Amino acid sequence: MYDRLKGFRDFYPEEMAARRAVADALEETARQYGFREIGTPALEAVDLYTDKSGEEIVEELYAFEDKGGRHVAMTPELTPTVARMVVAKGQELQKPIKWMSTRPFWRYEQVQQGRFREFYQTNVDVFGSSEPTADAEILAYAADALTTLGLESADFEFRVSHRDILGGLLRAFDADVTVRAAIRAVDKSEKIDPAQYYDLLHEAGLSYDQAEQFDELLATEDLDELTDFAGTDAVADAVGNLQNVLDAAADFGVREYCSVSLETARGLDYYTGTVFECFDTQGEVSRAVFGGGRYDDLIESYGGQPTPAVGVAPGHATLSLLLQRAGVWPEEALSTDYYVLSVGDTRGTAARVARDLRDRGHVVETDLAGRSFGAQMSYANGVNAETVVIVGERDLENGEVTIKEMASGDQTTAPVDEFPGDRDRPTYDDFV
């Protein structure tokens, strides 16, 4: 017996059916907004991450030297990869670029609720638009995807913030503040107690009195108060941009899901403007379900032309926790439209019936193990077959097949030459 590695998971067919339904909903909603699917590699050069985040990031990666002596890492996130892809094509790409993909990622980190070392995300990004409508469309996509999955406004909220507001407020204090470190402290604020939070802000350059004042500013519901405190055009512009995004979200019909929460910061350094995180309103999912935001400087930092960008990445592990909590996780069950049961020397006819049903787009199974009638019926029940088509020697002598509706147990016969005939989805009801 071999044990599965810590932080990695197996998905058996029943659970995988539910996971596929969720992924399909996320992707289909993105397609409705015009996002186009891309494919990306599992390995990237380590430099793609260390050049932006420092050598210490390697401790969080599955990084190694390959057989060609190259230092590579299994991709821990998609954003640097898509930035590289945009730079590679440059002006060839029609803007705005709207891309989406679903794939696994890998990070060597502590395993906890909703966080694994191998995890899946659906990434949805817009490149080439700095308009508030681009931010709002990302919010609208995320809200539509969640409601398509069965969630309601009482189940989740988007906590929306703006990195430039946070940075502007921090710079307004009479202190030598390391803005990056202070924003990282804000990102951790809901995960630690207030004393630890103030300690981190103090380490970033604020006095304890200033840390408390900063914390109070973030809690205000009056954004004009922030503009008055900072007294700078940068904060005024950021407040105006945030309001414009929320106004556009209202036009998109998703303002009800959004609340202003300046304590939301997003920990990654490449975020530049609007940021948001999705939370379970009941608090049973103890961390953000997923997040997103604007990263206008990243493409240029990788050598491309200045290209504004905004995106979101629903993580499937945490999303599954929210869907389960709300009671809308898809049923974990196998689904089979038809089981074609063969009895005696009838394989040719049974194969023709199965082929004709598959040609109509149905999920069809047949016997692959030479089992008895009873064993085949048991198997058909086990795979949740909706209809069993019995192709037996006696039936064929009469020019018939038997159609059995598994839910009710009712059955009838149908002319073999007319099954399935011109019917798209023939059932018991068509022949009684």
Side-chain angles (χ1 to χ4, degrees):
M1 293 290 292
Y2 297 96
D3 293 331
R4 187 182 64 225
L5 293 174
K6 183 179 180 180
F8 294 76
R9 294 172 293 165
D10 300 315
F11 302 110
Y12 288 88
E14 291 81 1
E15 183 180 1
M16 198 63 210
R19 288 172 55 82
R20 170 49 54 195
V22 171
D24 287 348
L26 294 173
E27 292 177 352
E28 184 55 33
T29 303
R31 291 188 185 96
Q32 291 172 349
Y33 278 82
F35 290 91
R36 314 298 177 177
E37 186 172 17
I38 59 170
T40 55
L43 289 181
E44 292 279 11
V46 167
D47 292 349
L48 190 69
Y49 310 106
T50 57
D51 285 352
K52 297 295 178 292
S53 302
E55 292 294 331
E56 62 272 14
I57 192 67
V58 175
E59 296 299 318
E60 302 174 19
L61 305 178
Y62 278 92
F64 55 94
E65 184 177 299
D66 72 6
K67 294 181 179 180
R70 293 170 290 261
H71 292 279
V72 298
M74 300 179 74
T75 47
E77 58 170 318
L78 191 68
T79 306
T81 293
V82 293
R84 176 184 59 72
M85 291 173 66
V86 171
V87 172
K89 287 288 186 178
Q91 298 305 309
E92 299 176 40
L93 299 170
Q94 179 174 308
K95 297 179 179 61
I97 305 160
K98 299 174 67 174
W99 286 348
M100 67 94 169
S101 69
T102 298
R103 50 155 296 181
F105 298 93
W106 300 269
R107 289 183 190 151
Y108 192 81
E109 60 183 357
Q110 184 63 40
V111 178
Q112 53 187 288
Q113 184 195 46
R115 189 184 291 272
F116 300 91
R117 290 175 176 169
E118 180 182 56
F119 56 96
Y120 292 77
Q121 289 181 342
T122 296
N123 291 264
V124 179
D125 296 276
V126 179
F127 304 91
S129 174
S130 60
E131 293 297 315
T133 50
D135 305 62
E137 181 166 284
I138 288 294
L139 289 165
Y141 156 74
D144 283 355
L146 296 186
T147 55
T148 295
L149 286 164
L151 295 169
E152 300 178 350
S153 59
D155 293 317
F156 68 93
E157 66 172 341
F158 297 150
R159 299 180 187 176
V160 187
S161 183
H162 203 290
R163 290 284 288 255
D164 293 343
I165 295 177
L166 297 176
L169 291 175
L170 289 164
R171 294 185 185 95
F173 285 97
D174 183 17
D176 184 15
V177 182
T178 303
V179 172
R180 175 185 295 183
I183 288 179
R184 286 180 177 174
V186 174
D187 183 55
K188 297 177 181 178
S189 62
E190 292 196 359
K191 308 177 185 73
I192 57 179
D193 63 47
Q196 290 175 302
Y197 175 40
Y198 289 165
D199 284 343
L200 290 175
L201 290 175
H202 180 65
E203 291 171 11
L206 296 179
S207 70
Y208 282 102
D209 287 342
Q210 290 171 332
E212 185 175 358
Q213 184 180 10
F214 176 65
D215 191 31
E216 291 172 354
L217 285 169
L218 297 190
T220 184
E221 296 182 0
D222 182 4
L223 295 181
D224 291 335
E225 180 183 345
L226 306 179
T227 302
D228 294 339
F229 173 82
T232 64
D233 291 340
V235 171
D237 290 345
V239 168
N241 178 252
L242 176 58
Q243 189 57 60
N244 288 337
V245 169
L246 295 173
D247 289 344
D251 292 338
F252 277 83
V254 296
R255 180 63 179 86
E256 65 176 304
Y257 305 108
C258 304
S259 61
V260 175
S261 173
L262 296 180
E263 293 89 349
T264 298
R266 304 293 288 156
L268 296 172
D269 293 335
Y270 54 66
Y271 284 113
T272 58
T274 307
V275 291
F276 76 96
E277 291 181 333
C278 173
F279 279 88
D280 172 15
T281 56
Q282 304 304 310
E284 292 185 24
V285 181
S286 61
R287 52 189 293 263
V289 178
F290 59 82
R294 186 164 280 283
Y295 50 102
D296 287 345
D297 299 336
L298 192 64
I299 304 300
E300 186 176 5
S301 75
Y302 278 106
Q305 295 297 313
T307 306
V310 60
V312 64
H316 294 195
T318 45
L319 179 56
S320 70
L321 296 176
L322 175 59
L323 295 173
Q324 290 165 11
R325 194 278 299 159
V328 294
W329 178 247
E331 182 182 6
E332 292 188 4
L334 304 180
S335 177
T336 306
D337 299 319
Y338 296 92
Y339 183 86
V340 180
L341 189 156
S342 178
V343 182
D345 187 18
T346 63
R347 186 177 67 184
T349 301
R352 191 273 301 166
V353 169
R355 187 168 58 250
D356 288 351
L357 290 170
R358 290 186 184 118
D359 286 345
R360 288 157 173 76
H362 302 305
V363 177
V364 183
E365 288 207 53
T366 60
D367 181 42
L368 302 177
R371 290 172 291 196
S372 66
F373 178 92
Q376 289 186 66
M377 286 298 298
S378 178
Y379 180 84
N381 186 62
V383 296
N384 289 331
E386 180 180 326
T387 299
V388 172
V389 182
I390 303 170
V391 183
E393 289 179 328
R394 293 184 180 179
D395 284 329
L396 292 185
E397 288 176 1
N398 296 325
E400 298 173 335
V401 293
T402 296
I403 313 301
K404 183 178 182 67
E405 183 181 73
M406 292 296 282
S408 66
D410 295 335
Q411 66 183 49
T412 188
T413 58
V416 65
D417 293 337
E418 297 178 19
F419 190 90
D422 58 0
R423 301 172 183 85
D424 288 333
R425 191 181 180 89
T427 64
Y428 165 86
D429 291 333
D430 292 317
F431 299 98
V432 293

